[in-house]
Amino acid sequence: MTDTMAASSEPLIALRDVTTYFKTPRGLVRAVDGVSFSLERGKTLGIVGESGCGKSVLSKSIMGLLPKRNVVRGGSIKFEGREVGQAGANELRELWGNQMAMVFQDPMTALNPVMRVGNQITESLIHNLDVSKDFAQETALQLLTSVGIPEPSRRLRQYPFELSGGMRQRVMIAIALACGPKLLFADEPTTALDVTVQAQILDLLDAQQAERFMAMILVTHDLGVVAGRADDIMVMYAGQAVEKAPTRTLFAQMRHPYTEALLKSIPKLDQASHTRLDAIGGRPPDLVHPPTGCRFAPRCPYAQDRCLQEAPPLVSHDTPGHEFACWYPVGTPEGAEALAKNQAAGIAATVSGGN
């Protein structure tokens, strides 16, 4: 095998036991606690979980966007085989824009309110690619056109507050794509947008990824968003990955009770109007003092004594690429027995709404 072929076979980005802890007066908050995965160029990884599970912190840890003060980081992050987990500011600036970029979830706060849209796009082009102002302006115009903004030449002269929410998000995507990154993070890119605009933004990201052959990490709390848009899905809970699998495998053979709970919480089109949603009962654990066993156990309808005492490892099973961390997996004889045992004992299935 030649060196070129060997290099191309390596994942674009690979994480191993990545941790991100925040120092607080109460102690260390284990926001990301031992996450590992790899992603090839041209592929999409969906990271799913409820608010506070560590999705956004993980993305910002990979990009190096977290402050240095009161943050403790560990593990390995390799980008194209190069270790960047503990990279300094100068080294990270070489990566931002032309190697990796992020579409933030709230464009109104991510965009500079007193800077014209055109200048916000050309700024990164001039800084990262060292091009002339005229070339950067022409490229900005092309970018706004490519992301579907009408009257792009007029929009370049406008400020963010003059645009709709959907247009501001398209501007954020244009800025992120400006320097041709190899890896794009989309952190809840459809937050606060109506359903029609959400679909347009997700379709736009899909089209741009295919055209540019980028890798993309799509962060969301909704399994429905990633169902037809991600090659693989990683489900996070309380700072840890609890299930990872190819998308079709996850939906056909989900094994972790938390994954099942997330899917049940999605509204169904065939349900009658005003049908009560299946909420996940209880609360996530305190990440300063996480439980000894499985972190989902206090909310899990399958939980047994072992779950409260011993944390299950994330391990591979029969289906290639499918890993999950559960002693009593969904859809298995031991899982069915545990669920039946709890129901017979009158233990409430907190996953359907208890506390």
Side-chain angles (χ1 to χ4, degrees), residues 41-42 44 142-143 145-148 177 180-181 203-216:
R41 189 162 185 178
T44 298
Q142 294 173 2
L143 284 164
T145 302
S146 71
V147 298
L177 297 177
D203 288 343
L204 172 61
L205 287 170
D206 285 348
Q208 291 293 328
Q209 181 199 18
E211 180 181 333
R212 297 163 182 266
F213 196 58
M214 297 182 302
M216 183 164 70

mmCIF file of all heavy atoms in Angstrom, residues 41-42 44 142-143 145-148 177 180-181 203-216:
data_model
loop_
_atom_site.group_PDB
_atom_site.id
_atom_site.type_symbol
_atom_site.label_atom_id
_atom_site.label_comp_id
_atom_site.label_asym_id
_atom_site.label_seq_id
_atom_site.Cartn_x
_atom_site.Cartn_y
_atom_site.Cartn_z
ATOM 1 N N ARG A 41 -14.183 11.338 5.773
ATOM 2 C CA ARG A 41 -14.601 12.469 4.945
ATOM 3 C C ARG A 41 -15.787 12.059 4.071
ATOM 4 O O ARG A 41 -15.846 10.948 3.558
ATOM 5 C CB ARG A 41 -13.442 12.940 4.059
ATOM 6 C CG ARG A 41 -13.734 14.243 3.347
ATOM 7 C CD ARG A 41 -12.504 14.918 2.830
ATOM 8 N NE ARG A 41 -12.828 16.219 2.255
ATOM 9 C CZ ARG A 41 -11.941 17.061 1.754
ATOM 10 N NH1 ARG A 41 -10.658 16.751 1.770
ATOM 11 N NH2 ARG A 41 -12.322 18.221 1.257
ATOM 12 N N GLY A 42 -16.748 12.972 3.923
ATOM 13 C CA GLY A 42 -17.931 12.699 3.129
ATOM 14 C C GLY A 42 -19.061 12.047 3.901
ATOM 15 O O GLY A 42 -20.159 11.879 3.370
ATOM 16 N N THR A 44 -21.631 11.623 7.478
ATOM 17 C CA THR A 44 -22.322 12.432 8.480
ATOM 18 C C THR A 44 -22.544 11.615 9.743
ATOM 19 O O THR A 44 -23.059 10.496 9.676
ATOM 20 C CB THR A 44 -23.681 12.923 7.957
ATOM 21 O OG1 THR A 44 -23.487 13.749 6.823
ATOM 22 C CG2 THR A 44 -24.425 13.717 9.030
ATOM 23 N N GLN A 142 -21.275 34.761 -4.376
ATOM 24 C CA GLN A 142 -21.519 33.397 -4.843
ATOM 25 C C GLN A 142 -22.003 32.494 -3.701
ATOM 26 O O GLN A 142 -22.871 31.638 -3.903
ATOM 27 C CB GLN A 142 -20.245 32.825 -5.466
ATOM 28 C CG GLN A 142 -19.810 33.527 -6.745
ATOM 29 C CD GLN A 142 -18.454 33.050 -7.236
ATOM 30 O OE1 GLN A 142 -17.839 32.160 -6.635
ATOM 31 N NE2 GLN A 142 -17.973 33.632 -8.326
ATOM 32 N N LEU A 143 -21.444 32.695 -2.509
ATOM 33 C CA LEU A 143 -21.840 31.889 -1.361
ATOM 34 C C LEU A 143 -23.297 32.138 -0.982
ATOM 35 O O LEU A 143 -24.049 31.192 -0.724
ATOM 36 C CB LEU A 143 -20.929 32.178 -0.166
ATOM 37 C CG LEU A 143 -19.538 31.548 -0.210
ATOM 38 C CD1 LEU A 143 -18.613 32.218 0.807
ATOM 39 C CD2 LEU A 143 -19.623 30.045 0.077
ATOM 40 N N THR A 145 -25.604 33.159 -2.914
ATOM 41 C CA THR A 145 -26.412 32.559 -3.979
ATOM 42 C C THR A 145 -26.521 31.052 -3.786
ATOM 43 O O THR A 145 -27.599 30.462 -3.926
ATOM 44 C CB THR A 145 -25.791 32.859 -5.354
ATOM 45 O OG1 THR A 145 -25.684 34.278 -5.535
ATOM 46 C CG2 THR A 145 -26.643 32.276 -6.472
ATOM 47 N N SER A 146 -25.407 30.415 -3.414
ATOM 48 C CA SER A 146 -25.388 28.952 -3.278
ATOM 49 C C SER A 146 -26.234 28.469 -2.112
ATOM 50 O O SER A 146 -26.728 27.340 -2.131
ATOM 51 C CB SER A 146 -23.946 28.452 -3.115
ATOM 52 O OG SER A 146 -23.421 28.793 -1.846
ATOM 53 N N VAL A 147 -26.411 29.306 -1.088
ATOM 54 C CA VAL A 147 -27.230 28.893 0.054
ATOM 55 C C VAL A 147 -28.680 29.355 -0.077
ATOM 56 O O VAL A 147 -29.457 29.263 0.874
ATOM 57 C CB VAL A 147 -26.634 29.385 1.400
ATOM 58 C CG1 VAL A 147 -25.274 28.779 1.633
ATOM 59 C CG2 VAL A 147 -26.574 30.912 1.462
ATOM 60 N N GLY A 148 -29.039 29.847 -1.254
ATOM 61 C CA GLY A 148 -30.436 30.117 -1.552
ATOM 62 C C GLY A 148 -30.997 31.407 -1.008
ATOM 63 O O GLY A 148 -32.202 31.500 -0.772
ATOM 64 N N LEU A 177 -18.991 27.785 5.324
ATOM 65 C CA LEU A 177 -18.519 27.122 4.106
ATOM 66 C C LEU A 177 -17.500 27.950 3.325
ATOM 67 O O LEU A 177 -16.884 27.440 2.377
ATOM 68 C CB LEU A 177 -19.711 26.819 3.185
ATOM 69 C CG LEU A 177 -20.782 25.860 3.720
ATOM 70 C CD1 LEU A 177 -21.912 25.742 2.712
ATOM 71 C CD2 LEU A 177 -20.188 24.493 4.020
ATOM 72 N N GLY A 180 -14.052 26.502 2.552
ATOM 73 C CA GLY A 180 -14.003 25.111 2.133
ATOM 74 C C GLY A 180 -13.536 24.144 3.191
ATOM 75 O O GLY A 180 -12.595 23.368 2.956
ATOM 76 N N PRO A 181 -14.167 24.107 4.376
ATOM 77 C CA PRO A 181 -13.714 23.202 5.445
ATOM 78 C C PRO A 181 -13.912 21.741 5.066
ATOM 79 O O PRO A 181 -14.802 21.387 4.289
ATOM 80 C CB PRO A 181 -14.599 23.598 6.627
ATOM 81 C CG PRO A 181 -15.848 24.115 5.999
ATOM 82 C CD PRO A 181 -15.394 24.842 4.762
ATOM 83 N N ASP A 203 -31.956 20.403 4.212
ATOM 84 C CA ASP A 203 -31.730 20.024 2.814
ATOM 85 C C ASP A 203 -30.526 20.772 2.247
ATOM 86 O O ASP A 203 -29.732 20.213 1.478
ATOM 87 C CB ASP A 203 -32.968 20.332 1.970
ATOM 88 C CG ASP A 203 -34.124 19.380 2.261
ATOM 89 O OD1 ASP A 203 -33.875 18.314 2.856
ATOM 90 O OD2 ASP A 203 -35.271 19.719 1.903
ATOM 91 N N LEU A 204 -30.397 22.040 2.620
ATOM 92 C CA LEU A 204 -29.264 22.848 2.163
ATOM 93 C C LEU A 204 -27.945 22.269 2.666
ATOM 94 O O LEU A 204 -26.968 22.153 1.900
ATOM 95 C CB LEU A 204 -29.427 24.288 2.648
ATOM 96 C CG LEU A 204 -28.246 25.234 2.436
ATOM 97 C CD1 LEU A 204 -27.928 25.375 0.961
ATOM 98 C CD2 LEU A 204 -28.540 26.595 3.051
ATOM 99 N N LEU A 205 -27.902 21.901 3.928
ATOM 100 C CA LEU A 205 -26.680 21.301 4.485
ATOM 101 C C LEU A 205 -26.336 20.001 3.771
ATOM 102 O O LEU A 205 -25.173 19.737 3.452
ATOM 103 C CB LEU A 205 -26.856 21.054 5.982
ATOM 104 C CG LEU A 205 -26.837 22.284 6.885
ATOM 105 C CD1 LEU A 205 -27.262 21.918 8.306
ATOM 106 C CD2 LEU A 205 -25.447 22.916 6.903
ATOM 107 N N ASP A 206 -27.351 19.182 3.499
ATOM 108 C CA ASP A 206 -27.121 17.928 2.775
ATOM 109 C C ASP A 206 -26.526 18.193 1.400
ATOM 110 O O ASP A 206 -25.572 17.536 0.972
ATOM 111 C CB ASP A 206 -28.439 17.157 2.618
ATOM 112 C CG ASP A 206 -28.891 16.491 3.900
ATOM 113 O OD1 ASP A 206 -28.082 16.425 4.845
ATOM 114 O OD2 ASP A 206 -30.044 16.047 3.967
ATOM 115 N N ALA A 207 -27.110 19.161 0.682
ATOM 116 C CA ALA A 207 -26.650 19.456 -0.670
ATOM 117 C C ALA A 207 -25.227 19.991 -0.678
ATOM 118 O O ALA A 207 -24.404 19.595 -1.509
ATOM 119 C CB ALA A 207 -27.604 20.461 -1.323
ATOM 120 N N GLN A 208 -24.920 20.896 0.261
ATOM 121 C CA GLN A 208 -23.585 21.474 0.323
ATOM 122 C C GLN A 208 -22.551 20.424 0.715
ATOM 123 O O GLN A 208 -21.424 20.419 0.199
ATOM 124 C CB GLN A 208 -23.559 22.637 1.317
ATOM 125 C CG GLN A 208 -24.335 23.856 0.864
ATOM 126 C CD GLN A 208 -23.715 24.532 -0.339
ATOM 127 O OE1 GLN A 208 -22.505 24.533 -0.522
ATOM 128 N NE2 GLN A 208 -24.547 25.099 -1.195
ATOM 129 N N GLN A 209 -22.936 19.523 1.594
ATOM 130 C CA GLN A 209 -22.001 18.468 1.994
ATOM 131 C C GLN A 209 -21.670 17.555 0.828
ATOM 132 O O GLN A 209 -20.516 17.206 0.590
ATOM 133 C CB GLN A 209 -22.586 17.640 3.136
ATOM 134 C CG GLN A 209 -21.636 16.543 3.616
ATOM 135 C CD GLN A 209 -22.326 15.456 4.393
ATOM 136 O OE1 GLN A 209 -23.537 15.310 4.309
ATOM 137 N NE2 GLN A 209 -21.567 14.680 5.138
ATOM 138 N N ALA A 210 -22.716 17.163 0.087
ATOM 139 C CA ALA A 210 -22.499 16.275 -1.057
ATOM 140 C C ALA A 210 -21.647 16.952 -2.121
ATOM 141 O O ALA A 210 -20.750 16.337 -2.713
ATOM 142 C CB ALA A 210 -23.847 15.849 -1.638
ATOM 143 N N GLU A 211 -21.909 18.236 -2.364
ATOM 144 C CA GLU A 211 -21.173 18.969 -3.393
ATOM 145 C C GLU A 211 -19.699 19.142 -3.020
ATOM 146 O O GLU A 211 -18.814 19.064 -3.877
ATOM 147 C CB GLU A 211 -21.825 20.342 -3.586
ATOM 148 C CG GLU A 211 -21.145 21.216 -4.629
ATOM 149 C CD GLU A 211 -21.810 22.577 -4.759
ATOM 150 O OE1 GLU A 211 -23.022 22.678 -4.460
ATOM 151 O OE2 GLU A 211 -21.124 23.536 -5.153
ATOM 152 N N ARG A 212 -19.425 19.351 -1.741
ATOM 153 C CA ARG A 212 -18.065 19.649 -1.298
ATOM 154 C C ARG A 212 -17.348 18.435 -0.718
ATOM 155 O O ARG A 212 -16.175 18.528 -0.347
ATOM 156 C CB ARG A 212 -18.108 20.766 -0.249
ATOM 157 C CG ARG A 212 -18.660 22.078 -0.791
ATOM 158 C CD ARG A 212 -19.080 23.025 0.326
ATOM 159 N NE ARG A 212 -19.651 24.256 -0.176
ATOM 160 C CZ ARG A 212 -18.972 25.373 -0.380
ATOM 161 N NH1 ARG A 212 -17.676 25.428 -0.091
ATOM 162 N NH2 ARG A 212 -19.564 26.459 -0.844
ATOM 163 N N PHE A 213 -18.059 17.300 -0.574
ATOM 164 C CA PHE A 213 -17.511 16.076 0.001
ATOM 165 C C PHE A 213 -16.919 16.343 1.384
ATOM 166 O O PHE A 213 -15.803 15.954 1.713
ATOM 167 C CB PHE A 213 -16.459 15.454 -0.919
ATOM 168 C CG PHE A 213 -16.136 14.026 -0.585
ATOM 169 C CD1 PHE A 213 -17.136 13.067 -0.568
ATOM 170 C CD2 PHE A 213 -14.854 13.639 -0.271
ATOM 171 C CE1 PHE A 213 -16.847 11.744 -0.252
ATOM 172 C CE2 PHE A 213 -14.549 12.320 0.056
ATOM 173 C CZ PHE A 213 -15.555 11.381 0.056
ATOM 174 N N MET A 214 -17.685 17.042 2.224
ATOM 175 C CA MET A 214 -17.282 17.327 3.597
ATOM 176 C C MET A 214 -17.740 16.209 4.516
ATOM 177 O O MET A 214 -18.690 15.482 4.231
ATOM 178 C CB MET A 214 -17.934 18.620 4.104
ATOM 179 C CG MET A 214 -17.584 19.886 3.402
ATOM 180 S SD MET A 214 -18.423 21.292 4.215
ATOM 181 C CE MET A 214 -20.150 20.834 4.085
ATOM 182 N N ALA A 215 -17.080 16.100 5.642
ATOM 183 C CA ALA A 215 -17.631 15.336 6.763
ATOM 184 C C ALA A 215 -18.489 16.305 7.570
ATOM 185 O O ALA A 215 -18.203 17.503 7.630
ATOM 186 C CB ALA A 215 -16.519 14.772 7.629
ATOM 187 N N MET A 216 -19.557 15.806 8.171
ATOM 188 C CA MET A 216 -20.425 16.684 8.948
ATOM 189 C C MET A 216 -20.837 15.996 10.242
ATOM 190 O O MET A 216 -21.148 14.803 10.258
ATOM 191 C CB MET A 216 -21.665 17.082 8.147
ATOM 192 C CG MET A 216 -22.574 18.065 8.894
ATOM 193 S SD MET A 216 -23.777 18.900 7.825
ATOM 194 C CE MET A 216 -24.874 17.533 7.427
#
